[in-house]
Amino acid sequence: MNLKPQIREIFIDNDKIVTISDQVFFQTGNDGVHQWESGIVLSRYLLSINPIGSILELGSGSGLAGITASKYTRSTNITMTDFNRTVLDNIQENILKNSARARVVYLDWRDVTTYTNPADIVIGSDLIYDGAPIQDLVRTILHHMNENGVCYIVMPDKRKMTPVFLEEAERAGLDVVAMELKDWFTCSPHRDVQKGFRDFAELTMRKYFLYTLTRKSNI
Ligand SMILES: C[S@@+](CC[C@H](N)C(=O)[O-])C[C@H]1O[C@@H](n2cnc3c(N)ncnc32)[C@H](O)[C@@H]1O
């Protein structure tokens, strides 16, 4: 099994490519160095809404979504975060590979004070799995989202803890709207010319949901 990260070109759209270093076979503990399908779906969602506000990404992994926002959307204020040093170094390298402009900072959901700047838009993909600190994640979202901010989380249907996260988010004072992202959002991100390219087959085998979270209004 080859654990050495490989350089991949991810086709977000026909003429919109992000180059990342991707550890194809992921290792538990370093799972952010592996590119997850949800990150591709989130990247395409960002491309489709072309946001203008500041963006803070939680559990950035390879940094694909933040780099996509930097290269292909109007947002010029992007911060990518993770709690794993190897993952953070990989994001930094991926930013350089793409000549993108974004900050990389350490943020552990289990201690929201590790980074405290709120943003207009908080994003994340595939963050809720067995063993993930769900209450801490919800607290982190609330802590880092501006008063009128919004949070977009993309999750595959295979993650059984998602309903627990959604309940916890409602309880903590967030409204949640769910929407399935399909068709263009889940099409293959590679071209035939990329010999041996991992096909991200789960994109077409699973359903992907966008959860939009906002603060409940007090009226
Ligand atoms: C399944 S990976 C998803 C990575 C990326 N969002 C994607 O879709 O490709 C989960 C990510 O969350 C990060 N993570 C897990 N627990 C965390 C915590 N307590 N604080 C910050 N990041 C965390 C991991 O390091 C990893 O990068």
Side-chain angles (χ1 to χ4, degrees):
M1 186 183 295
N2 183 5
L3 290 176
K4 201 167 167 284
Q6 295 175 34
I7 306 303
R8 302 293 189 204
E9 284 193 327
I10 307 283
F11 286 76
I12 306 299
D13 201 6
N14 283 338
D15 56 345
K16 299 194 170 54
I17 300 166
V18 175
T19 306
I20 55 149
S21 167
D22 168 34
Q23 186 174 39
V24 177
F25 297 100
F26 78 94
Q27 286 168 299
T28 304
N30 268 357
D31 40 353
V33 188
H34 170 86
Q35 181 57 57
W36 297 82
E37 281 79 353
S38 299
I40 298 170
V41 178
L42 175 63
S43 301
R44 288 178 171 152
Y45 182 69
L46 293 175
L47 189 63
S48 75
I49 61 169
N50 196 6
I52 199 163
S54 54
I55 296 180
L56 178 80
E57 182 170 23
L58 304 176
S60 293
S62 71
L64 181 72
I67 293 171
T68 300
S70 160
K71 282 180 88 168
Y72 300 121
T73 77
R74 292 170 297 182
S75 181
T76 53
N77 184 349
I78 296 155
T79 307
M80 288 185 264
T81 72
D82 210 282
F83 76 149
N84 178 307
R85 297 288 176 192
T86 308
V87 170
L88 290 169
D89 289 347
N90 191 46
I91 298 172
Q92 197 68 65
E93 271 181 41
N94 288 337
I95 287 175
L96 288 176
K97 280 190 188 73
N98 290 279
S99 307
R101 287 170 66 90
R103 266 181 304 279
V104 181
V105 297
Y106 177 89
L107 169 58
D108 185 339
W109 315 330
R110 294 165 301 181
D111 178 5
V112 288
T113 62
T114 50
Y115 182 73
T116 52
N117 279 15
D120 302 320
I121 304 162
V122 175
I123 59 172
S125 53
D126 212 345
L127 303 183
I128 306 147
Y129 41 84
D130 279 350
I134 288 176
Q135 283 189 347
D136 293 329
L137 176 58
V138 170
R139 208 172 302 127
T140 304
I141 291 169
L142 276 163
H143 194 81
H144 290 86
M145 196 167 82
N146 278 337
E147 204 49 44
N148 294 315
V150 61
C151 172
Y152 300 119
I153 302 285
V154 170
M155 289 297 302
D157 60 354
K158 69 176 178 180
R159 301 288 192 210
K160 301 301 173 224
M161 297 305 284
T162 303
V164 177
F165 165 77
L166 298 177
E167 265 174 40
E168 189 58 39
E170 293 265 2
R171 198 169 21 240
L174 290 165
D175 272 327
V176 182
V177 176
M179 179 170 79
E180 186 181 350
L181 294 177
K182 51 188 179 180
D183 303 324
W184 172 75
F185 292 101
T186 54
C187 68
S188 173
H190 78 103
R191 289 258 172 89
D192 292 338
V193 286
Q194 294 190 73
K195 275 211 173 86
F197 189 77
R198 177 159 71 104
D199 195 16
F200 296 100
E202 283 208 358
L203 274 177
T204 47
M205 287 160 51
R206 300 279 177 191
K207 289 185 177 184
Y208 290 84
F209 290 92
L210 170 77
Y211 298 101
T212 302
L213 298 97
T214 48
R215 288 179 210 278
K216 285 187 202 294
S217 89
N218 294 321
I219 314 163

